[in-house]
Amino acid sequence: MRVAFIHPDLGIGGAERWLVDSALALTSSDHDVVIYTSHYDRSHCFDETRQMKVICRGDSLPRSLMGRFFALFAYIRMVYLAFYIVMFSEFEHDVIICDQVSACIPVLKMSKLKILFYCHFPDMLLSKRDSLLKKIYRAPIDALEQYTTGLADRIIVNSRFTLQVFRETFTSLSKRDVDILYPSISISTFDSIKPDYSSFDFYDASKTYILSLNRFERKKNVSLAIETRAYLRDNYAECDWCKSSVLIVAGGYDHRVKENLENLAELKKRCEELRLTENEVIFLQSPSDVEKVTLLVMAQVLLYTPSGEHFGIVPVEAMLMQTPVVAVNSGGPLETVVDGVTGYLVEPAPDRFASAVSSILSSPDGNTMGENGRNRVINNFSFETFTAKLNHFVERN
């Protein structure tokens, strides 16, 4: 079958990782795949996209007006992209898979093609309404999101948690059949990447590395990882592993995104407030695939700090690389991390995170947890399982 993906910004993030894996899955099943996006930077993308058929249209359109109205302009850019697909694309399609922004679906329906919509999380819940004007601005956008999502021929979500939120949020769609498709990772791809410790001039085999891997966004609550490092210093100083521990804060960073710039600056300021030195906390922006695998292998533990995360692919990647995970006990990690088996699920507080880190690093359980984590990923989140289920949705549709 001929399958098209339409996505707002083909950068580096969880949604983009899902899209790339989905494209790889369908390609491996002999489907012809093309990706349409309104922004694509070959220097800021997942490596696999460079071998894919990617068409970028609408990047010249503004992303905001004086730093505001991002949602409105994201809708406009996606609608423009949808018109291009329907009216001007040189490729023919059987199925179109859309994610993140549903506003383009009415235009795509003009093509008479079947539309799948993959909901990572309701967009209306990702925006604050801290003023009357913001509430007025968001009201028609929220209504449009719910209406256009309902126009899709099939709706898929990424976890049981997101399904529950979906039904509570989109009340007019509460009786609609919705499928669950957990994101996946290509185990063979990860295993084929050889760690390259020379990528990091700070690497020291005698150090104990604690890793935080998230985009530089406030909702990721990376400050909790920094506060945990400070708590460890102040309360576990007698432990040998604590004396040598280094927190690495790495993640997707886009200089075009104001929040990325602001959040990184805020996190560095938080380190200064807690008197954490550059030897205790290291910041890395947009690590490559090789660098990410190297970081996961280097780390003795991963700190996953977002609360109410929709799914969260990073804990799955860490478990595959046999790195125990300490995550907040809410949202997607409840479906991926097994408490006390592949890591710990705790309250989002520095003392709770620090206690879990200590439990892992002070005993041999860390190795066992790592092995358990890899087995869990292989048995529940393999690329083969993901491919079979996605194929089912596409071909039945």
Side-chain angles (χ1 to χ4, degrees), residues 285-343:
Q285 301 171 18
S286 298
S288 67
D289 288 344
V290 172
E291 290 172 337
K292 181 169 74 171
V293 167
T294 304
L295 290 171
L296 290 170
V297 172
M298 283 168 46
Q300 276 76 39
V301 60
L302 173 87
L303 305 185
Y304 197 66
T305 52
S307 294
E309 184 73 351
H310 326 148
F311 176 76
I313 196 65
V314 172
V316 178
E317 294 173 336
M319 289 190 296
L320 177 65
M321 306 311 294
Q322 302 189 48
T323 303
V325 177
V326 178
V328 176
N329 58 353
S330 67
L334 291 174
E335 300 172 49
T336 56
V337 179
V338 181
D339 188 38
V341 178
T342 67

Side-chain angles (χ1 to χ4, degrees), residues 25 33 98 106 109 137 170 220 248 267 288 339 349 387 392 394:
V33 174
C98 173
K109 295 288 284 186
Y137 160 67
F170 297 140
K220 299 300 184 180
I248 300 176
L267 294 173
S288 67
D339 188 38
T387 298
H392 171 75
V394 168

Side-chain angles (χ1 to χ4, degrees), residues 118-157:
Y118 190 85
C119 177
H120 301 280
F121 206 71
D123 181 66
M124 65 174 66
L125 299 181
L126 302 178
S127 174
K128 295 181 179 179
R129 287 143 176 80
D130 45 11
S131 69
L132 178 60
L133 287 177
K134 186 64 176 289
K135 292 178 181 178
I136 294 172
Y137 160 67
R138 284 294 315 193
I141 293 177
D142 295 345
L144 183 64
E145 180 186 7
Q146 183 166 190
Y147 169 72
T148 55
T149 297
L151 295 178
D153 297 289
R154 182 185 290 273
I155 302 173
I156 307 170
V157 296

Side-chain angles (χ1 to χ4, degrees), residues 357-369:
V357 170
S358 177
S359 295
I360 293 171
L361 298 181
S362 299
S363 73
D365 290 346
N367 291 333
T368 302
M369 284 185 167

Side-chain angles (χ1 to χ4, degrees), residues 190-228:
F190 267 75
D191 287 347
S192 69
I193 298 175
K194 184 178 180 180
D196 181 9
Y197 300 102
S198 65
S199 301
F200 307 116
D201 56 10
F202 60 79
Y203 176 69
D204 182 344
S206 67
K207 297 292 186 181
T208 300
Y209 290 106
I210 301 170
L211 177 63
S212 168
L213 188 59
N214 269 302
R215 291 192 304 278
F216 286 98
E217 297 176 356
R218 296 182 182 94
K219 67 182 180 182
K220 299 300 184 180
N221 195 24
V222 178
S223 60
L224 174 57
I226 293 172
E227 290 161 6
T228 298

Side-chain angles (χ1 to χ4, degrees), residues 62-71 73 134 137 256 258-259 262:
R63 297 179 66 252
S64 65
L65 178 63
M66 299 178 67
R68 297 181 180 272
F69 310 112
F70 284 98
F73 281 95
K134 186 64 176 289
Y137 160 67
R256 300 175 304 125
K258 182 180 178 182
E259 184 181 8
E262 293 177 343

